[in-house]
Amino acid sequence: MINERTDCAALTRPGSLRDNGPVSTDHYFSAEPSAPARPGEVEFSVAGHDYRLVTASGVFSAGRLDPGTAVLLRKGTLPAGGTLLDLGCGYGPIACVLATTAPSASVYAVDVNARARELTARNAEALKLPIAVRAPDEVPDDVTFTEIWSNPPTHVGKAELHMLLDRWLPRLAPDGTAWLVINRHLGGDSLHTWLVAQGWQVTRTASQKGFRVLRVT
Ligand SMILES: C[S@@+](CC[C@H](N)C(=O)[O-])C[C@H]1O[C@@H](n2cnc3c(N)ncnc32)[C@H](O)[C@@H]1O
C-alpha cells in the first residue's frame, strides 16, 4: 500500500516554475540543471516501509511521489533479490524501494540528470542502502539485470524513448523482467505495441488512474 504526503512545491514540468520566478529552460532530463536547486522532501510508504526522501527543483516530480511511480510500486511485483536497475531514477524513489525490499540485491540507479543522481546518492546514504548511482555511460558493459524498473521519460519524445529502451532492455538477463509504467495519454498503448513489434513479450498487468503497468520479458 502506498501513502503519499507532499511537503513542498517544486519544478515538476519542463520549463515551468510554480512561484512565477524566472522562466527556466531546464527540463527534468537536463544533464546539468542550471536553475538553483530549491530543496524539498517527499514522503510516502510502500509495502510497510516509510520513506522521506530529499528532492530539489530541476528533477522530475520533486514535490510529490509521481502518481505513475506510485502505481508502478503498488502494482509491480517487488523482487526479493537479483541485479536490479532503476532506469531514470530521478531523486531515487524506485531505487530506494527496491533496495529496501530486496536487501540482498545489487541495485543500480541511472539517470542523465546530475542533480537527480546526487539526490539519489544522498537518499541512499541516509537510508544506508548500497545503491550504485551512475550516469548511463558509467554502468559496466558486462552487467546484466534480472529486473529493470522504470517510469521512463516521455517528454524526451518517442524516438528518444525508443532509443533508451533499445539500449537498456537488451541488458536484461535471459529470464529477466522489466516493469514499466506509462501514462496512457503519453503513449502508453503505442509503447506497448512498439515493444511487441521489437519482439518483447508484454503483459499489461495493471491499468490505474490512466497509467499502464507493463511487464516486459
Ligand atoms: C519520468 S522521470 C522518473 C523519475 C523517477 N524514477 C521517479 O519515479 O520519480 C524519468 C527520468 O529519466 C531520466 N532520463 C531521461 N533521459 C534519460 C536517459 N537517456 N538515460 C537515463 N535517464 C534518463 C530523467 O532525467 C528523469 O529523471
Side-chain angles (χ1 to χ4, degrees):
M1 173 177 157
I2 298 189
N3 299 312
E4 300 161 41
R5 278 170 283 164
T6 298
D7 290 332
C8 74
L11 178 78
T12 57
R13 291 183 186 282
S16 71
L17 286 170
R18 288 185 180 172
D19 63 359
N20 296 323
V23 174
S24 165
T25 54
D26 284 344
H27 299 270
Y28 66 74
F29 46 86
S30 297
E32 300 278 354
S34 58
R38 289 197 309 276
E41 280 184 357
V42 169
E43 293 184 35
F44 58 94
S45 303
V46 177
H49 294 276
D50 297 327
Y51 299 84
R52 176 186 288 183
L53 303 185
V54 293
T55 66
S57 51
V59 302
F60 177 77
S61 199
R64 62 171 181 167
L65 182 68
D66 175 67
T69 301
V71 170
L72 177 66
L73 293 172
R74 186 186 304 125
K75 296 296 185 182
T77 304
L78 292 168
T83 302
L84 313 175
L85 171 65
D86 174 0
L87 176 58
C89 60
Y91 60 88
I94 296 174
C96 288
V97 169
L98 294 176
T100 300
T101 55
S104 67
S106 275
V107 180
Y108 286 80
V110 165
D111 207 292
V112 284
N113 180 326
R115 188 175 294 171
R117 294 196 301 273
E118 187 187 317
L119 290 163
T120 299
R122 279 176 58 194
N123 285 318
E125 189 180 351
L127 294 171
K128 299 188 176 15
L129 298 171
I131 297 170
V133 184
R134 301 283 184 265
D137 289 343
E138 293 171 348
V139 179
D141 289 339
D142 58 353
V143 176
T144 57
F145 301 100
T146 46
E147 298 204 5
I148 295 175
W149 284 63
S150 189
N151 177 354
T154 45
H155 289 92
V156 294
K158 197 185 267 192
E160 282 284 326
L161 174 59
H162 291 174
M163 273 168 50
L164 177 74
L165 295 173
D166 263 343
R167 174 177 182 177
W168 292 97
L169 288 180
R171 295 187 64 167
L172 279 172
D175 56 351
T177 300
W179 291 93
L180 308 177
V181 65
I182 313 269
N183 191 320
R184 181 171 61 90
H185 298 297
L186 295 176
D189 294 338
S190 70
L191 186 73
H192 185 152
T193 305
W194 177 81
L195 287 164
V196 171
Q198 304 312 301
W200 297 99
Q201 291 191 347
V202 184
T203 310
R204 188 205 290 174
T205 60
S207 180
Q208 197 173 60
K209 299 179 184 170
F211 294 99
R212 309 297 204 211
V213 176
L214 304 180
R215 182 175 182 275
V216 182
T217 54

